[in-house]
Amino acid sequence: MRVVNEVKPEGMSLHPLAAAAAPAPEILCIFGTGDLGRSLGQRLLQSGYRVIYGSRRPHSCGPLPEGAQVMSHAAAAQSARLIFICVHREHYEFLETLAPHLDGKVLVDLSNNLKKDLYPEANAVYLQSLVPGAAVVKGLNTLSAWALQNGLLAGKQVHLCGNSPEAKQVVAEMATKMGLTVLDRGTLAAARELEDFPLRLFPEWRLPLCVAIGLMAFFYFYLLIRDVIYAYVEKGQNVSFRMIMALANKVFPIVSLVMLSLCYLPGSIAAIFQLYRGTKYRRFPDWLDRWMLCRKQMGLVALGLAFLHAICTVIVPLRYTVQHKFISRLVDEMKSNKTTPLPLNNTDAWASDSFFALGILGFFLYVLLGLTSLPSVGGSISWREFRFIQSKLGCLTLLLCTAHGYIYGWNKLIMPSTYKWYTPPGYMLCLIVPSVVLVLKALLLLPCVDRTLTRIRQGWERTEPRGEMVVTNVIYDN
Amino acid sequence: MRVVNEVKPEGMSLHPLAAAAAPAPEILCIFGTGDLGRSLGQRLLQSGYRVIYGSRRPHSCGPLPEGAQVMSHAAAAQSARLIFICVHREHYEFLETLAPHLDGKVLVDLSNNLKKDLYPEANAVYLQSLVPGAAVVKGLNTLSAWALQNGLLAGKQVHLCGNSPEAKQVVAEMATKMGLTVLDRGTLAAARELEDFPLRLFPEWRLPLCVAIGLMAFFYFYLLIRDVIYAYVEKGQNVSFRMIMALANKVFPIVSLVMLSLCYLPGSIAAIFQLYRGTKYRRFPDWLDRWMLCRKQMGLVALGLAFLHAICTVIVPLRYTVQHKFISRLVDEMKSNKTTPLPLNNTDAWASDSFFALGILGFFLYVLLGLTSLPSVGGSISWREFRFIQSKLGCLTLLLCTAHGYIYGWNKLIMPSTYKWYTPPGYMLCLIVPSVVLVLKALLLLPCVDRTLTRIRQGWERTEPRGEMVVTNVIYDN
Amino acid sequence: MRVVNEVKPEGMSLHPLAAAAAPAPEILCIFGTGDLGRSLGQRLLQSGYRVIYGSRRPHSCGPLPEGAQVMSHAAAAQSARLIFICVHREHYEFLETLAPHLDGKVLVDLSNNLKKDLYPEANAVYLQSLVPGAAVVKGLNTLSAWALQNGLLAGKQVHLCGNSPEAKQVVAEMATKMGLTVLDRGTLAAARELEDFPLRLFPEWRLPLCVAIGLMAFFYFYLLIRDVIYAYVEKGQNVSFRMIMALANKVFPIVSLVMLSLCYLPGSIAAIFQLYRGTKYRRFPDWLDRWMLCRKQMGLVALGLAFLHAICTVIVPLRYTVQHKFISRLVDEMKSNKTTPLPLNNTDAWASDSFFALGILGFFLYVLLGLTSLPSVGGSISWREFRFIQSKLGCLTLLLCTAHGYIYGWNKLIMPSTYKWYTPPGYMLCLIVPSVVLVLKALLLLPCVDRTLTRIRQGWERTEPRGEMVVTNVIYDN
C-alpha cells in the first residue's frame, strides 16, 4: 500500500455524464395490448423505460399498465427504435402497410404458434418478408405473461436470433437489464427452432422414459407370471395382493440397475469402436450418438426408480402382509416348541448386513450423482471434477449396486424352487447387463488396451499418423 | 467445407488494439476504509482494476489491501470516474463539501440501514440531493464483505437503479466483470426498495408459514383432545406419550395435504371468476392475487411436511410404544391359543398395499414438483414443460395423496367408535378441501365449461367481442 | 394511462440500422483442427459467426464442421480479428514466425497442461512473449469439446484474463453470446491459476474429507474394540457381523455430529479472538481463516453422514440380526409365561419418542441447510436470510442433534456395564465438542459479552477509538 496525495487527474478527461437530475428514459414501443403486451409493458416500465403501445383503436383498447401511453400504430412506431410485436401471426398483414414507418427499426417477434409446422416459414421470417426495411429479431417468446407480471425472470435464459447483429445487440442489452441471460442463436434461420421451443415437452426425456417404461412393463409381467400366476395355477393360492407393493419393489430396483448400466454401456461401446477402427476421427453411428446424449436423463430415471425402491423397502415392515407373515412365522415357531435361544446363523448375518450396506452406499452415491447433475452444481465444478464424479463414482455406484444384486440371490442360485416353470428369477436377468458393462470396463482398463485407447484419443491413428497438432480433450469419457 | 487459400483481408480495417505489453488498468475510487470498502477494493484489484481509497486521514486509516493507494477524498475523487461510497449515511455530509470534485462522476451508493423507514428518503436519494452534479447509482448493497473477500460472488444477482442510464451502464459492466448478474430496476425511485432488500427476511414465506402453523396448531389441539384427553377422561388411560410422535405423524400429513390443495384452489377460483364475469380483462380481487403469488411457497411447505411425514412413518417400527403394542398383541394371540395358520384377509392386504403404494407414488411426485421449483432446474425448462409439471403432475399428486387419505379411513367411516365425543377424526376433516378442489377441477374440465373458459382466456368476452388482436398466454394456469 | 396521438419523433434521430437482408457475419479464426478446435468452430457457426480454420496443411486436415473454411495459418490470421489457439503448447513455436500477421489481433489461449508446474511460465504468458504485438487473452480453457458439441454451455461460468481490457471485452462479448457467464480475472498474471483450474480435483473438499475420514477411522476402531473385540475376549461371543451395519450406524451419526459442531466452532473462536484483542482490525491466524473457509464443505459432509445414518436407521427392522434378536426376545418372554398385558413404561415411551422426534427434526433442518447451500438457492436469497438460515437454523440443528445424542444415552450414564474396559461409549465422546460449542455460543449471547462484541464488530476498538467512518457488515457471523 502506497500513500499518495497527488495524482494526475486522469479521470478528468472523461466526458461529463448527462445531468442525473433530468432522466430521459428510453422509449420502447409495443404492438398489441393483449396479456403478453400488457405484462411486458409493465415489466419494462419497472425497469425505467418509457412504454408506448401501438393499437388499432387507441381509445378503446382496455386496461394498460399505469404510466404507459397508447397511440395509433404509425405514431407509436415513429416514437421508438425498438418495437415489440405481441400480435398473433394471423394479424401480421397490417404491418405491411406500416412498412414505411418501420424502416430502420428493430422489430422483436415474440409470437408463438399453437402447433408445430402450421405455416410454411417461421413467423419471424414471414415478418421480415413483410417489412424488409426493418431488422427482425426473434426472441423472448419463451417468457410467459405470468412470469413477466410477477418478476419471475431472474436467471431465465432467452434465445435470440436475427440477421442484424446490431439489432440483436440492442435487444440483448434490453433483456440483460431485465435480468435475463441471453443466448445468441445466429441468423433468422434459427427462428423456427425458437418458435418450436415453447411447444416442446421434454424431448430429451422421451427415449429414456420409453426404455424405462418398456423394461418395467416387461419385468412386471414376467414377475407377475412367476410370483402370482404360478402360485395360483400350481398351488391354488390367491396372492393377488402381491401385484402392488411386492412386484413394484422388485421391478423398481431391477429396472433402475439396468438403466444405470445402460448409462455406462455406450462409453464402452464407443471405446471398442475406436479400438477396432484405430482412430477417433470417424463419426460414431447415429444410434450411439443419440444414446450418449441421453445418458444424463437415463441416469436420472434410474435414480428416480432407486428412490422408489428405497422408500418401498423401508416401508416394508409396516405392510399388513409382511406383519402377518412375521406373526405367523412366530406363532409357528412357538408351537413347534423350540428350545431357546434360537441359533444365530453368522453367515446369514453377514450376508444380510452386507446386502443392506451395499444398497445404502450405492443409493448414497446415486443421490450424489444426481445432485451433481443439477445445473447449478454441475456448472460450478470443473470438467475434471465432473468427469471424476460421473465416470469414477458412477462406475463405483454401478459396482456396488450390482454387488447388492448378487448378494440378494447368492444362496438361491442352486435351489430348484428358484426356477419356477424353468424361468430364472428377475434379479438374475437384471444382473446380465450390469455384469457385461463391468466386465467391459475392466477389460478396457487392462494396461495394453488402455494404452492404445489413450493414444487413439490423443489423436494417434493406426493406419497413418496425423501431422496436425491438436488440443485433445477426451470426448467420449466413460 | 470449402478450402480457400486467399481471403480479402476484412479484418485489417479494424483499428489495432492497444499494445498489450503496457496494460493501463482503469482506476476506481472507494470512499470508506471499513470492512466493506476493504473487501470491495481487494476484489476489484483481483479483477485487474487500480484502486484508490479516499480517506479523511490518508496516513492512518488502518490496513488496506495490497496494491491499493490511499489519498484525501478530493484527490481520490479526481483520479477516477467511478466512486464507491462505502460510508454510513450519517457521515454523508462531508460529500456536500466535496461536490465540486464529484461533478460528472458516477457515485455508487452501497449503504444499508439497520432498520426500515429510519429516514424520510432513501440514502441514495439523499446522496443525490447532496451532490446534484454527480450520477448516483444505488446497488451492490446486497454484497457482504465476507462474500467479496472470499470470491463467493459467482452467479449472485445484484439490482441497480439510478437516474442516469450511462452511469448504470458503467456500474453494470464493472459488476458483470466480477461475475455478478445485473438487474436494472429503473430510476432512483427504486432505491428505497433496494435498501430494504438486505433487511427482508423471507417476506414471501410469511403467509404460507402462518397458514401452515395455524393449521398445525388447530389440528394438533383437535387431535390432542380426541386421542389423549378423551382416553384420559373416559378410560382413565395415560397415553400422554402420544403427544410427540403419534400426533405429529397425524398432523404432518393432514396439514401437508391441505396446503397442497390450497395451492390448486386459487386456480379454480380464478377460473370461476372468469366464467362468472365472462371476461378475463378484469382484475382479480387482491386476496386472490396474493394467494396466487405464494403458491410456490405453499407447495414447498407442503413438501416439507410430507417429508417429515415420510420419515416419521418409516421410523414407526423402531418406536418403543409400537414395538410394545406389537409384542402385547402377539402374546395375546398366543394366549388365546389360536389354531395356525392365521388367516390372511385378502381385502386388508389389498387395502394396506394400495395405501402405501399411493402414498409412495404421491411422495415421489411431490419431490419431483419440489425439484422443478429449484431456480436452476425451473430456469432450464420451457414454459410449457413447467406448466405440465406444476399443473398436470401437481393435480395428479393431489389426486394420489387424497386417495391415500381416503383409503386410510375406508373401513372406519361407519364405526361408531370413530366419532369420539361426536367429533370426526382428523383425516376426515383434512379430506374436505382436497375433495372440493378435485371436484372443481373435474367440473372445469367438462367439455362445455372448458370450451367457454378457453375462449375467455383467448380474449373473447361475453358482453361484447374485443377487436384488438392479442397474443394470449393463459396466465392463470391451473 | 394517457392516450396520445402525436409524439415528437425522438426515435428518428437514431442512425438507421444496417439493412437486415444482407447479414455480414463476423469472422472468427481457429488455429488447430483437433477435437476442441472442431467443436468450438461448430458452436461458433451455430451462433452465426463465420469460421475460418488455420492449418499447416489446409488440404488434408481431416473432417471440419460444415460451413467452415480452412486456409494456411497466415491467410486465416489476416481474415479475422479474433483468433482461437487450440494447439498444444509444445507446438507454439510456429506462432513466432507468424508474429507479423498477428499484430493487433486478439489471441485466445485455450490450452491446458496435463500436469501442474510443467513449465516455468503459464502457456498464455509464453504465447504473449512469442507474439508481443498481439493481445493474448487466457480463457475458455474449462470448456470441453463434448460440452461444446452438444450445446451444454448454458450457465457455465468461464474465467478470462489478459493484459488488454479491449481484447478481454471482445472475447467476453463472444462468450456471452454463447450463453456463458464471464468472470474477469485481471491481467495475464492470473493465467497460471486459470490453467490449473481444469486440473484441480475438489481442493476445497480435501480438508473436510480428511477430517471426516480421520474421525471415522478413529471411531470405527474405538467402537470395534468396545463392541466386537470386547465381546470376543471377555465373553467368547463371535459378533463379527456387527462390523458392518451396527458399527457404521454408530460411526455415521457420531462423526456427523462432530463435523456439524466443527462448522460452528470457528465462529466462536473468532469471537473470542476479537473479544480478547479488543479489535476486529487484526487478521485471524491462518488456520482459523482456512477453517472458516471450509465450513460449507464440512457442513455438507456432515449432512451426507447424517443421510447415511438416517437410511441405516430406517433399514434396521429389516436386518436379519435385528429380527433374530426380536424373535428371541419374544420367545423368551413367552417362555417365562408372563401375565398379560405387558406393562408399558411411560418414561421409556416418552424417551423413545422424544429421541426420534429430535432426530427427525434435526435431520429435517440439516436437509434445509443443505438445500440453501445449493448455488442457485443461495444466490437467490438475501444476505440476512442466508445468515438467518446458516447461523440461527444451523445452531438450532446442532442443538437438536446434540439433544438427540444426550437422550440416546440418558439412562446408560451410571450403568457400570456401559464402561467396558473403562472406556466411555462413543456417543459420550462425540457429545464433547458439540456441548463445548453450544456452551460457547450461550456465553457469547450473554448481554454483557454480546454488547462488547457487537461494538467491536461495528468498528469500536478497546485501546483507541478509530475516527474513520465505515460501513460494517459483520464478517465473521456465527
Side-chain angles (χ1 to χ4, degrees), chain A residues 144-155:
Chain A
S144 71
W146 172 251
L148 281 162
Q149 265 181 10
N150 297 300
L152 307 174
L153 300 183

Side-chain angles (χ1 to χ4, degrees), chain A residues 208-269:
Chain A
L209 280 178
C210 285
V211 172
I213 289 169
L215 284 171
M216 285 170 78
F218 168 73
F219 278 105
Y220 187 81
F221 285 108
Y222 185 79
L223 293 172
L224 188 69
I225 291 167
R226 274 181 51 93
D227 289 9
V228 179
I229 297 177
Y230 177 86
Y232 188 73
V233 171
E234 299 280 322
K235 305 187 188 164
Q237 289 175 336
N238 178 6
V239 290
S240 60
F241 57 84
R242 281 197 197 159
M243 284 167 62
I244 312 175
M245 292 291 289
L247 282 196
N249 203 16
K250 284 186 174 181
V251 169
F252 290 149
I254 285 175
V255 179
S256 176
L257 185 54
V258 174
M259 294 289 288
L260 184 66
S261 55
L262 288 182
C263 288
Y264 293 99
L265 186 53
S268 304
I269 295 178

Side-chain angles (χ1 to χ4, degrees), chain A residues 4 35 88 177 199 202, chain B residues 70-71 184 280 384-385 470:
Chain A
V4 181
D35 276 347
H88 279 306
K177 279 196 188 168
L199 293 172
F202 300 110
Chain B
V70 64
M71 307 181 188
D184 192 324
K280 66 163 184 177
R384 188 176 168 218
E385 289 166 347
V470 288

Side-chain angles (χ1 to χ4, degrees), chain C residues 1-50:
Chain C
M1 191 195 87
R2 287 171 298 146
V3 176
V4 181
N5 278 314
E6 201 70 329
V7 73
K8 58 181 195 297
E10 305 173 52
M12 294 309 276
S13 61
L14 291 162
H15 65 91
L17 287 167
E26 200 182 332
I27 298 180
L28 300 177
C29 173
I30 299 174
F31 281 8
T33 54
D35 275 347
L36 187 60
R38 283 183 293 131
S39 311
L40 179 67
Q42 190 184 329
R43 190 68 201 74
L44 290 170
L45 284 164
Q46 281 167 9
S47 276
Y49 290 101
R50 209 174 127 199

Side-chain angles (χ1 to χ4, degrees), chain B residues 120-193:
Chain B
E121 79 284 76
N123 298 355
V125 172
Y126 172 58
L127 176 61
Q128 183 71 76
S129 72
L130 291 176
V131 199
V136 172
V137 173
K138 179 81 210 180
L140 307 184
N141 56 323
T142 46
L143 300 181
S144 71
W146 172 251
L148 280 163
Q149 264 181 12
N150 297 300
L152 307 174
L153 299 184
K156 278 243 189 293
Q157 195 181 51
V158 290
H159 295 219
L160 292 185
C161 73
N163 291 337
S164 156
E166 291 88 359
K168 276 190 290 188
Q169 187 62 28
V170 169
V171 180
E173 273 167 20
M174 186 276 313
T176 308
K177 278 196 189 168
M178 287 163 73
L180 298 162
T181 312
V182 176
L183 182 58
D184 192 324
R185 295 293 303 273
T187 66
L188 275 189
R192 177 161 288 255
E193 203 186 324

Side-chain angles (χ1 to χ4, degrees), chain B residues 139-264:
Chain B
L140 307 184
N141 56 323
T142 46
L143 300 181
S144 71
W146 172 251
L148 280 163
Q149 264 181 12
N150 297 300
L152 307 174
L153 299 184
K156 278 243 189 293
Q157 195 181 51
V158 290
H159 295 219
L160 292 185
C161 73
N163 291 337
S164 156
E166 291 88 359
K168 276 190 290 188
Q169 187 62 28
V170 169
V171 180
E173 273 167 20
M174 186 276 313
T176 308
K177 278 196 189 168
M178 287 163 73
L180 298 162
T181 312
V182 176
L183 182 58
D184 192 324
R185 295 293 303 273
T187 66
L188 275 189
R192 177 161 288 255
E193 203 186 324
L194 265 65
E195 282 167 15
D196 285 346
F197 186 82
L199 293 172
R200 67 170 210 167
L201 198 59
F202 299 110
E204 73 277 22
W205 286 87
R206 279 204 194 137
L207 183 60
L209 280 178
C210 284
V211 171
I213 291 169
L215 284 171
M216 285 170 79
F218 168 74
F219 277 105
Y220 187 81
F221 286 109
Y222 185 80
L223 293 172
L224 189 69
I225 290 168
R226 275 181 52 94
D227 288 8
V228 179
I229 297 178
Y230 177 87
Y232 188 72
V233 171
E234 299 279 323
K235 304 187 188 162
Q237 290 175 336
N238 178 5
V239 289
S240 60
F241 57 84
R242 281 196 197 160
M243 284 167 63
I244 311 173
M245 292 292 289
L247 282 196
N249 203 15
K250 284 185 174 183
V251 168
F252 290 149
I254 284 175
V255 179
S256 177
L257 184 54
V258 174
M259 294 289 289
L260 184 65
S261 54
L262 288 181
C263 287
Y264 292 97

Side-chain angles (χ1 to χ4, degrees), chain C residues 298-313:
Chain C
M298 280 201 157
L300 288 177
V301 170
L303 171 59
L305 294 170
F307 179 67
L308 283 170
H309 167 53
I311 314 184
C312 287
T313 302

